[in-house]
Each structure stands twice: as structure tokens, then as C-alpha cells.
Amino acid sequence: MPEVLHETLAELRDAFDDARRDPSFWNSYVALMANYAGRPTPVTYCDNLTRRFGGARIYVKREDLNHTGAHKANNVMGQGLLVQRMGKRRVIAETGAGQHGVATATMAARLGLECTIYMGAEDVERQHPNVFWMRQLGAEVVAVTDGTRTLKDAINAALRDWADSMADTHYVLGTVCGPHPFPELVTYFQTIIGYEARRQMLEVAGTLPSRVYACVGGGSNASGIFTGFLDDPAVELVGVEAAGKGIATGQHAARLAGGQGRTGVAQGYKTVFLQNEEGLMRDTHSVAAGLDYIGVGPMLAHLHQQGRVRFESATDAEVVDALRVTMRSEGIIPALESAHAFAGAFREASGLSSDDTILINQSGRGDKDIFTVADALGDEGWVDFIRHKAEGYAR
Amino acid sequence: MSAVPGTSLESHLRGRLEDKPLLLMTHLVVGYPSLEANWTMLEAMDAAGVDLVELQLPFSEPIADGPAFVKANHDAIEAGMGWEVYFDFAARAAARFSFPIVFMGYYNSVFQMGAQRYCARLAEAGMKGFILPDLPLEEASQLTALAREHDLSPVFIMSPTNSQERLNEIGRQASGFVYCTARRGVTGRKTDLSQGVAEFMQRCRTATPVPLGLGFGIRTAADVRNVRGLADIAIVGTAGLDAWQELGEEGYRLFMKGLVAETC
């Protein structure tokens, strides 16, 4: 990490430590999430999916019902409370799929903060509806044209902004990566998913899940739900990474599952990255912008190494199939990112018995993916609509 | 307070400082715009009398660099820049020119190479030290120890945002020289040297006895003149690349001469 941020990171560590020691802080966070974001989000039993696969009973943790449509708001509102404690007036953030950017813009609007969001130019194109909402919420959105023009480049751009603006600006990092204390801090706020889910499984299913599935980009939703079950050794934890066009093609973002990641140090932290033998980061690919990233949370890499979390991957094609099945069977629309967790679970559900239960973390809702999904499904009605709409604007 | 025992880089710089009040360090990204252009740049630096040169090994995530160097890093990588080419170039430069050469780059390159092999390769290439802007002091101890065995100086960075306590901590580990950044932010943008820089340099001076370099936003001959009395070494990075691109080869030679003229 550049020396210029040394004192800023120390300030953040202190603010976080103070907050954690303050017994009222967690309660004020939970209260905020209840009355602003609609928490707790439910756990839904999916009878149709269960019957379709004929094995384990399938439950879904519904982070799609969180305000702004994804788990991202948990971390963002928590960091918003820290920003208030530190007395800063501006926030910046990176975003991949745009969910973290929308959540940050929402928090900034609510708390009266200035907001700048860095987004890879490629992601700006893929996820324009989110760009629209960020701007409507009052945020400045900067399209990052460096490098591969995706999430990692947006993180670099945000770090460069922060290296100059730290006196009055907080960097709301969106995932469990980056310099200390971010991995720990983001996990802390996302743990609300796991705490809720564990209690809800006992209530709704009467038992802890045999397996918990979560998609893993940087790893914040996975860290959040897994942490709730870390002390339950009988609960198997499964992270599902993006296999993109297939691990063998090299066009993927599977750092751990594919065995192609190597330990390295970049963007202020040490973890397993997709990089070449000289430490240059590789291009990554996923149909899901939020998983299209070179690194993975260091704590998840550690849990992988220890064997506590098993890592699998799902290809773009499997993910689109899983999305289609989930929509038709349950009337639930997972984000393409979350659909990786569904794909991983569907592959294994029939191998388990009806005494088993599995819990899938639906990290977000899929409405934002309408353009990508319509393309993936080859939906002609949608194409016609866009064509007519464009003709209307051209007139 | 005494720093790490003098390295050959530090003694060399001290020797030069007996002859003139200020030294000049210049920079290039190896492989950008091309190795041929890089060689011509080095010849121009040598002819002008530059005192010290940093050669940057391109990295895909250069978080301490501004837009011009980010592009330079990415384009050099795109053109196939790698370790072999870099060290071959550095060795040729060290053999041909009299100014000492230091490595500049990001820690992941060192991590992948392995600290032992990294130090050995720098020493074999005839380099005198290294600047790793993303490596914090507390993570550097193993590398620093190995560097000493190879008579290489790890050059640490002091920032105006650092507390005096932190500057002192860095100062105790300093060797060769210290790279003081004149402002917050990343490389490439102009700095107003009248804004608190003298006070910052005073804080650095009390933190360490090793020579102090001042960089970030030192762009013109006039800026170099203003560094006199503030620091021992003026560091010009991005402005050199801009001069190459805007003024061409001859303009670059004159630009280098103009910078050096202000150090004598």
C-alpha cells in the first residue's frame, strides 16, 4: 500500500475498533438495516426446485429483497455509520456490476455525502441501468478506461483518488479485499447475513443446512453467510466462482476452484490472484460483471487452504440455465452473480438425500441484468422493443 | 540517531553533493514507448549530466502512478515487456553509463521472483537500489536484510500525510536516500512547492540523516531550481516522458540539459 495512505488506514482501523467495542454500535446498525433496508431478509423454502432435483431440500436466503436489491447495502450502510463517526463529507467507491455503486450512491444520498463512483468502461456498457440510477441518486460516475476496463481497474482508480482526497473522503470498498482493515470490516457488516440465516434455518427448516452455497467474486456475500456457520463443522461451505467460457479456455475468473490462481500482492493486499508467472494480472471473464475480478478475499483463500470452504465453479452457460430454471420454478430472479451459487447447488442437490437441506445465498436480484440476460436467452421480443425504442429516440 | 550503515549508493550521492548543491534523478518506464527510445533517453540523461536514474519495471496494477505512467505501464506490457528484457536492458545501461541506476516497480514482481533472486538479479545487473511504492516498511524487513547483503539500498518513501512518529520510523530504516513525495496523490500532476513543502522537508530532515529526494510534480527547470535548499535530489518523472512525447528527441535533450543546469 502506498505510504501516503498509512495514516488514513490507521484512522479507519481506529474508528472500526472503537465502533466494534461500542456495544450500541451493532444494535444501531441492525436497527438502521431494519427500518431503512427491510432486514431481516427471509429464507425461502423452494419446494418446486426441491422436487425438480429430487434430493436435498432447497432453501434460499433472499438478499435480493434487501434495499437496492443486493447484499451490498449491508456493508455500505455500515461503512456509512463509520463515515459519520470519522466526520468525513465525501465517499468514493469502485463498482463492477454496479450494485455496490448504487448502494453507495443510496447511502450517500441518505447521509448527505458527496459521492464519486469508479466503474470500468466495459462494465458501464454492460450495466447501464445501474449507471442511470447512480446518477439519479446524485453520484458522479467515472468510466475507467485503463487496463482491462473492469472491476480491478475501477479499484485502482478509486485508490488513486483516495491517495489524494483522504482528508475528507472515505473509500467505501465494496468487497472483502484490499488493505487491512477492509477484509475484516466488510466481513463484519456482511456477517448480518449469516447470523440471520443460521437462526432462520433453525426456525424454518428445523435444522442447520448440510451445505451453504454462495457465489464468490471478491467474496463479500460468501464471507457474510459463511461466517454465520463457521463454528458448525457439520455445515459444508461451498463457494462458487465464475468459470466463464470454461476454465480450459483461460476466459474465466476462477482463482481457487480452477487451481490457476497464485499467491501474490497487489491492490494493497495478499491473496490468490489470476496472474502470470511474472506477476502480471490476467484478463478475467464472466457473464456476471460482479464476479469478473482477479483476486479473492484473503480470509476465503485461507479457509480454502484449511479445507473449511470448498470451491467450485460454474460456466456462463450453466449459470444462464440455472437462472432460467429458478425463474420458472420459483418466480425468483437471481442476479447473474447469484445464479452461480444456484448452478453449483443444482449440480449437487440430487446427490443428497431428502434429509439434507441446502441453503443458497441469493446475493442479489437479476432485474439489473435484463440486457445481458435477454442476449443470453436470445429473446427476440426484447430486441424488437429496444429497436423500436431506439428508432423513437432517433426521430 | 544513525541510519543503516552507509551503502555504496549513499556514499556515491554524498560524493556528488560535495561538488554541487543539488542532484537530479530522472525516470523511465522500460519498454515505453520502446527500448530504442529508452536508450536514446538514457544517452540524453548521460549527456546532460543526470546524477541518478530509476528504471521502472511495468506492472499491470500501478496504483501509485498517474494516467501517463499507467498508460506507459500497460502499453509496455502489451508490447511484451518482461523480466528478461528488463534486466538485460538495465545491465546494458549500468555497463554503459556512469550514473547509478535504481529499480522502480511494484512489490508483486519481487514477490513472484522471490526476494533472494530479486536482489541477486539487481546486483548482477549492476543496479544500486530499489523503490517499491506499494511496499510498507513493516513488510520489508526480510527484503531489506537481503538487500544489504547485495549492497543494494531499499529506498523508502515519506509522505506529507505521515506523522512525525511514522517519519522517524521510516528514517531509522532508510538507506541510500529517501523519496519524499511533495504532495498527496499519484505521479504526474503539478505541485505548488510553496505550499507547506519546506515544512514537510524539515520534518523529513529531522527523521533521517540520509540524503532526501523530492518528487511528485517537479516538472520544469524552474521547479528544479526551487528544490535547491529543500532537498538533496530533485526527482523528475512524468515531465520527462511528456517532454519526449511533446518535444521529440532533440527537445528532450535540451529539456534534460535545462534541468541539470539548475542543479549546479
Side-chain angles (χ1 to χ4, degrees):
Chain A
M1 214 47 209
E3 187 58 35
V4 66
L5 285 167
H6 179 81
E7 317 292 341
T8 305
L9 290 167
E11 177 193 14
L12 180 59
R13 270 198 308 276
D14 289 347
F16 177 45
D17 286 343
D18 279 354
R20 268 196 297 191
R21 274 196 298 268
D22 177 351
S24 68
F25 182 75
W26 181 260
N27 292 338
S28 66
Y29 167 63
V30 171
L32 172 69
M33 294 314 287
N35 70 43
Y36 184 63
R39 298 203 75 91
T41 59
V43 162
T44 302
Y45 172 59
C46 295
D47 192 46
N48 297 328
L49 286 174
T50 299
R51 280 188 283 119
R52 181 185 176 100
F53 293 103
R57 283 172 291 146
I58 298 175
Y59 293 81
V60 174
K61 174 66 172 166
R62 303 289 305 281
E63 290 302 294
D64 57 314
L65 298 177
N66 206 20
H67 182 40
T68 72
H71 72 293
K72 292 292 184 187
N74 307 333
N75 165 44
V76 163
M77 296 311 294
Q79 289 201 44
L81 294 177
L82 288 180
V83 170
Q84 289 185 316
R85 288 172 84 103
M86 292 187 290
K88 297 195 172 183
R89 60 162 195 87
R90 174 176 176 258
V91 288
I92 56 173
E94 85 294 343
T95 195
Q99 291 301 103
H100 177 59
V102 168
T104 304
T106 302
M107 176 270 280
R110 172 83 176 172
L111 302 184
L113 304 167
E114 277 181 44
C115 180
T116 301
I117 304 294
Y118 291 94
M119 188 168 185
E122 185 176 315
D123 294 332
V124 168
E125 300 206 346
R126 282 195 281 196
Q127 300 287 353
H128 209 81
N130 276 339
V131 174
F132 171 81
W133 286 120
M134 285 185 265
R135 290 186 172 142
Q136 293 304 315
L137 288 159
E140 175 195 17
V141 179
V142 179
V144 178
T145 55
D146 303 328
T148 57
R149 302 147 56 100
T150 60
L151 181 56
K152 78 175 178 64
D153 307 287
I155 292 176
N156 293 341
L159 285 171
R160 291 186 189 109
D161 180 316
W162 205 29
D164 205 19
S165 64
M166 74 293 258
D168 65 358
T169 297
H170 173 66
Y171 178 15
V172 185
L173 216 156
T175 191
V176 289
C177 296
H180 181 62
F182 282 111
E184 201 182 340
L185 184 159
V186 176
T187 301
Y188 173 80
F189 291 121
Q190 293 295 4
T191 299
I192 196 169
I193 307 172
Y195 289 160
E196 287 176 7
R198 188 178 189 283
R199 195 187 65 230
Q200 289 165 323
M201 282 303 287
L202 291 172
E203 281 168 16
V204 178
T207 176
L208 290 176
S210 316
R211 292 181 189 168
V212 178
Y213 295 84
C215 65
V216 181
S220 69
N221 88 84
S223 297
I225 196 158
F226 290 168
T227 306
F229 300 94
L230 273 185
D231 296 334
D232 301 307
V235 178
E236 189 181 11
L237 306 174
V238 185
V240 186
E241 295 179 287
K245 295 179 180 169
I247 289 184
T249 66
Q251 295 186 57
H252 63 87
R255 291 74 32 112
L256 299 170
Q260 293 188 356
R262 298 159 54 99
T263 304
V265 182
Q267 300 191 318
Y269 71 113
K270 180 176 178 179
T271 192
V272 175
F273 288 101
L274 281 172
Q275 55 182 324
N276 73 10
E277 59 287 353
E278 295 194 356
L280 301 175
M281 297 303 156
R282 283 170 40 182
D283 279 5
T284 50
H285 168 83
S286 170
V287 68
L291 304 188
D292 198 350
Y293 179 57
I294 50 173
V296 61
M299 290 186 277
L300 286 174
H302 179 67
L303 291 169
H304 169 65
Q305 209 171 31
Q306 288 189 317
R308 182 65 185 94
V309 178
R310 171 162 62 91
F311 277 82
E312 300 291 338
S313 65
T315 64
D316 290 352
E318 290 173 298
V319 163
V320 172
D321 282 346
L323 171 61
R324 192 186 277 127
V325 166
T326 307
M327 290 191 294
R328 290 295 170 90
S329 307
E330 299 288 351
I332 288 175
I333 309 175
L336 282 166
E337 288 78 7
S338 319
H340 285 71
F342 284 82
F346 293 169
R347 206 187 287 152
E348 299 180 358
S350 58
L352 296 171
S353 83
S354 58
D355 292 337
D356 288 310
T357 54
I358 61 181
L359 175 64
I360 302 168
N361 196 26
Q362 182 179 352
S363 57
R365 66 174 186 226
D367 319 31
K368 69 178 174 61
D369 297 322
I370 188 164
F371 287 87
T372 316
V373 172
D375 281 351
L377 300 177
D379 189 300
E380 301 212 347
W382 176 257
V383 174
D384 279 345
F385 163 69
I386 294 295
R387 197 173 284 132
H388 286 131
K389 195 84 182 154
E391 282 165 9
Y393 287 130
R395 252 181 250 128
Chain B
M1 180 174 57
S2 84
V4 175
T7 58
S8 66
L9 178 60
E10 186 179 339
S11 351
H12 176 87
L13 298 175
R14 290 204 182 284
R16 300 281 291 184
L17 283 166
E18 283 172 16
D19 298 333
K20 54 194 263 199
L22 181 66
L23 307 183
L24 177 70
M25 178 166 85
T26 51
H27 169 284
L28 57 83
V29 177
V30 177
Y32 186 82
S34 68
L35 289 175
E36 294 70 32
N38 291 157
W39 194 260
T40 308
M41 291 172 177
L42 289 177
E43 287 175 337
M45 291 170 188
D46 186 51
V50 166
D51 303 282
L52 183 62
V53 172
E54 45 179 331
L55 295 183
Q56 181 165 357
L57 172 67
F59 181 50
S60 53
E61 320 304 320
I63 54 174
D65 281 305
F69 282 161
V70 170
K71 181 180 182 337
N73 275 265
H74 289 154
D75 286 6
I77 289 167
E78 193 76 12
M81 193 51 218
W83 294 348
E84 290 310 318
V85 182
Y86 175 89
F87 282 108
D88 175 65
F89 182 85
R92 281 194 291 131
R96 165 72 183 73
F97 303 109
S98 57
F99 45 67
I101 294 172
V102 296
F103 175 102
M104 190 261 157
Y106 287 83
Y107 182 63
N108 199 41
S109 305
V110 183
F111 185 80
Q112 297 307 326
M113 211 176 296
Q116 179 66 262
R117 192 166 151 228
Y118 171 76
C119 290
R121 289 187 85 160
L122 258 67
E124 276 165 34
M127 304 173 91
K128 300 297 177 198
F130 51 84
I131 304 167
L132 299 166
D134 63 340
L135 180 65
L137 193 63
E138 32 289 291
E139 306 290 335
S141 52
Q142 190 213 357
L143 182 61
T144 304
L146 285 167
R148 270 180 222 138
E149 289 173 21
H150 289 89
D151 190 28
L152 295 166
S153 299
V155 173
F156 292 114
I157 291 173
M158 291 186 178
S159 157
T161 58
N162 285 137
S163 66
Q164 188 61 46
E165 191 187 355
R166 178 69 177 170
L167 293 179
N168 294 344
E169 206 179 325
I170 297 167
R172 280 192 288 276
Q173 297 296 319
S175 68
F177 67 100
V178 170
Y179 192 131
C180 306
T181 60
R183 54 164 169 75
R184 303 183 308 267
V186 294
T187 58
R189 194 164 41 75
K190 174 104 185 118
T191 301
D192 182 351
L193 290 177
S194 66
Q195 294 299 309
V197 178
E199 185 241 333
F200 165 55
M201 293 309 291
Q202 195 50 49
R203 295 204 295 131
C204 297
R205 186 64 80 192
T206 60
T208 184
V210 308
L212 300 179
L214 181 61
F216 275 41
I218 313 296
R219 297 191 54 85
T220 64
D223 292 338
V224 171
R225 188 184 323 129
N226 289 331
V227 175
R228 278 203 204 189
L230 286 176
D232 304 304
I233 310 165
I235 303 171
V236 177
T238 308
L241 179 57
D242 291 347
W244 177 267
Q245 286 170 333
E246 288 159 22
L247 309 174
E249 192 177 318
E250 199 44 42
Y252 185 82
R253 284 181 206 287
L254 292 172
F255 177 74
M256 283 294 153
K257 278 191 179 140
L259 297 180
V260 172
E262 298 299 339
T263 65
C264 300

